[in-house]
Structure formats: structure tokens, C-alpha cells
Amino acid sequence: MIKSRRLSFVYPGSLDRPTGGYRYDRRMMNELERLGWAVSRVALSDEFPLCGGLARLDAEARFRALPDQEIVVCDGLAFGVIPEIAREHQQRLKLVALVHHPLYLEDGLSSDVAEAFFQREKEALQYTRRVITTSSATLAQVRDTFDVPTSALRAILPGTNPLPRPDPPDLRSEPPSLLCVGSLIPRKGQDVLVEALSGLTDLDWHLDLVGDTRCDEAFAQRLQDLIAEHHLEQRVTVHGSVADHELSRFYDRASIFALASHYEGYGMAFAEALLSGLPIVASGRGAVRNTVPAAAALFCSEGQAASFRQALKLMLVDTRLRAEKAQGAAAAGSALPTWSEQGALLSNTLEALL
């Protein structure tokens, strides 16, 4: 008897949110369907992970409505804060957690909230059949900090869409066009990047900041204030979120990719920069140095504007260095996995649960 390949994919809010995590979810659902899976999309409240009682009650009802022995893949933004629901359904449902990065590592959390996230996510993950992470670095972190056995863990990286080999940097715009892609949240460090650039006004450059401004509106406003404080309104443009085809054009026009992240579970924007053959200035814990090879980047101390400023200056003034790092980026980008390859890995992982 052939077992039915069906599953429910649970996530908070709208799948259209322009973040790396939601792009991963969307693409993996599409790849699974292409491989013959029937995928039911189950949307929870957009309040997760900082959700109230009504959002939790809604989540409880949605999980109880799922059929017995269903494979349920749940995005970690929600799964990490619902251990009670996971405990209730651990035998009835085949629970699979998708961890982009541990919730307690998000910047800007109070110590009490971070500790609560840590404890709740640690408990919730004990009730899963599998835990999918989006990088080997996050896998190691989940294994070591949450005591998840290696046998239950799988690292399935984001894929890429193969592109023609990018133009070499001497064919890109002059003066250099800097690009930063990421939701405007403290963890992505756009404030550090602006502070760094405020000390480089004697050089020619322009920065495009692309990313959702709605995730942390207070931070987004502070960033605008910081740009104005340093009189950079004519040199830094905040674009907000853009459609995928528009984002591709930003990568095509850029000369240097810069992201002063504090932490990344994988760093899809870094991978896209590699795919576009862009030299990179980067910082951050987690998977940053796994995703970005040294041959493609200058690495800086996280949260340190002075360190980032020094690296940016080197990349801006030394065209030979920029060309070398661009060559390293293009080589690394050509070796990145495709979405079809990664979708097949996820499919095989889930088939083992049938």
C-alpha cells in the first residue's frame, strides 16, 4: 500500500512577509508540492512569538483540528513558544520543528523574555520527531543548548536560483553602490552600518537599505533619525521591502554588499550576495562565517562601528581588494545548492516519518 504524502505546514502571520525565514518557508512548500506532496497551509496569528492568550487559543484549536498521524512542520517562530500544544499532540501528530534560529538570540529582548523563550523552546523541541535547521551552525547550537539528539536533527540550507555569472566589479556602478538587505531590526545592525558610514563622508558611495520596516517600527524610526543626525539623507536611501524581481535588480546594480549583523541562523542575504558575485563586508555570530567564506569578505567585530568603518574604507578605496573578494564571492556563489536540491532533502527527511 502506497502511503499518502501529505503534511500540514504551520506558520505565524502571512506567508508574503519579505523575510528570509518566510521566503524559505514559501519555497520549501512549493518544492514539496512539485515533488508530489499535498501541503496544507495553516496560518496562526501574526502576534507570534510575543503572542497573547487569544493567539494561543487559536493555535490550540488549529492543532486539534489536524488529522491523526499528520506530519506537521511548524515554523520555529511559533513552535518555540507553544510547548503545551506540542506536549498535548506529541503522540497524535508527527511534529517537525523548523528552526531558523533560536528565539532567545533575537536582539532587543529583555533578559526575562529571553530566558522564557529559551526554556519554552527547549521544552517544545523535546516533543518533535525531527528538528530542521537552516544551517549546520544552528544545528550545533540547537543540539548543544537545547539537548536535542543528533539523530533527530537535520540541517537543510536555503537554496538559490541559478543566475548567469555576474559581471566583474569594474563593470558595476561608480562611485561604488553599497547594498544592505535585511529587515530593519536591531539584530541586523543597520544602525552600526550607518554609524560606520558617517565617518566616511570624504569618500564617494551611496547606500541602499532594503528591508521590511514594519517588523520593529521603533527601530526603523531610530534608524531614520540616525541618518538625519549624520546628514546622510542624500547618501542613504531606505527602500523598505521590495518584490523579489526588484531585489534582484538591487543586487545587479550593487558594487559592495554590507551587513553589520549581530547574529544569523543562516543569512540568505549573504548567500544572494555571493550568488551575485559581490564583495562583502560582514559581522555576526551564528552561521555568518559558515555561509560567507573568507575569500569573499572582510569580517568585522559585531556591533563595532569603528571596525566596520575600517573594513568599508578598505573595500571602497582598494579596487584590487574589491575585485579579489568579488572573484571569491562568485566562486562561492556558483557552489551554493539550488532550491530543487534542498527541497528533495526535505522531502526525503519527511518521507522517513510516513
Side-chain angles (χ1 to χ4, degrees):
M1 177 178 172
I2 299 175
K3 295 183 179 179
S4 173
R5 297 206 304 173
R6 57 160 292 128
L7 63 89
S8 292
F9 205 119
V10 182
Y11 52 89
S14 169
L15 269 179
D16 294 330
R17 289 181 64 180
T19 69
Y22 279 89
R23 289 175 64 199
Y24 183 98
D25 292 358
R26 289 195 302 270
R27 288 303 302 260
M28 283 304 191
M29 289 183 214
N30 292 341
E31 290 299 326
L32 289 172
E33 288 174 330
R34 186 182 63 81
L35 292 169
W37 287 83
V39 180
S40 296
R41 291 159 172 78
V42 181
L44 304 181
S45 167
D46 62 4
E47 294 179 11
F48 283 92
L50 293 167
C51 56
L54 290 178
R56 291 179 185 276
L57 288 172
D58 175 71
E60 289 173 4
R62 292 181 184 276
F63 270 81
R64 286 173 182 155
L66 296 172
D68 290 350
Q69 297 307 302
E70 178 87 329
I71 295 175
V72 180
V73 180
C74 186
D75 188 284
L77 269 179
F79 193 82
V81 293
I82 53 171
E84 301 86 355
I85 296 175
R87 186 190 316 124
E88 177 184 348
H89 297 285
Q90 62 177 310
Q91 300 298 328
R92 190 179 71 82
L93 302 174
K94 300 172 182 178
L95 298 175
V96 179
L98 172 55
V99 180
H100 300 282
H101 66 81
L103 295 176
Y104 78 95
L105 291 175
E106 191 67 60
D107 277 14
L109 300 176
S110 70
S111 58
D112 288 346
V113 171
E115 177 64 18
F117 277 175
F118 176 86
Q119 295 297 339
R120 294 182 69 78
E121 190 164 17
K122 181 176 182 179
E123 180 185 353
L125 293 177
Q126 308 309 309
Y127 306 128
T128 60
R129 308 287 179 95
R130 292 289 185 275
V131 177
I132 307 297
T133 69
T134 56
S135 72
S136 57
T138 302
L139 183 150
Q141 198 162 44
V142 168
R143 180 194 63 211
D144 297 342
T145 61
F146 293 138
D147 298 326
V148 177
T150 301
S151 59
L153 286 160
R154 300 289 185 275
I156 302 178
L157 277 60
T160 59
N161 296 318
L163 296 172
R165 189 167 182 84
D167 292 335
D170 59 345
L171 297 183
R172 297 186 189 275
S173 62
E174 291 292 343
S177 174
L178 303 172
L179 175 64
C180 177
V181 176
S183 298
L184 271 58
I185 55 177
R187 180 169 58 84
K188 297 294 184 180
Q190 290 95 344
D191 53 344
V192 177
L193 176 56
V194 170
E195 285 284 2
L197 287 169
S198 70
L200 297 176
T201 53
D202 57 320
L203 300 177
D204 285 335
W205 52 265
H206 183 273
L207 172 65
D208 288 304
L209 285 173
V210 179
D212 195 347
T213 60
R214 299 166 297 174
C215 297
D216 188 332
E217 292 182 350
F219 177 79
Q221 184 57 55
R222 289 200 303 274
L223 188 65
Q224 292 279 17
D225 293 343
L226 187 63
I227 293 168
E229 177 186 330
H230 291 300
H231 308 290
L232 296 176
E233 296 94 331
Q234 302 303 312
R235 306 192 70 174
V236 177
T237 304
V238 179
H239 296 273
S241 59
V242 299
D244 286 350
H245 68 277
E246 294 178 86
L247 183 58
S248 295
R249 287 200 284 267
F250 276 102
Y251 280 107
D252 289 341
R253 293 194 300 264
S255 308
I256 298 167
F257 184 83
L259 181 58
S261 183
H262 294 268
Y263 175 92
E264 292 290 342
Y266 173 70
M268 285 180 65
F270 283 128
E272 290 165 344
L274 294 173
L275 199 64
S276 298
L278 290 175
I280 295 170
V281 180
S283 66
R285 294 170 289 118
V288 173
R289 295 187 187 228
N290 295 77
T291 302
V292 183
L298 296 177
F299 293 107
C300 310
S301 302
E302 65 189 68
Q304 300 297 315
S307 173
F308 220 84
R309 181 180 302 126
Q310 183 179 34
L312 283 169
K313 184 174 182 178
L314 278 173
M315 199 73 86
L316 286 165
V317 302
D318 190 336
T319 55
R320 182 174 179 178
L321 172 67
R322 205 156 79 220
E324 290 174 354
K325 296 298 185 182
Q327 186 176 19
S334 68
L336 291 171
T338 65
W339 282 111
S340 61
E341 291 168 344
Q342 300 309 92
L345 286 178
L346 179 57
S347 177
N348 292 339
T349 298
L350 298 176
E351 279 187 347
L353 300 178
L354 292 174

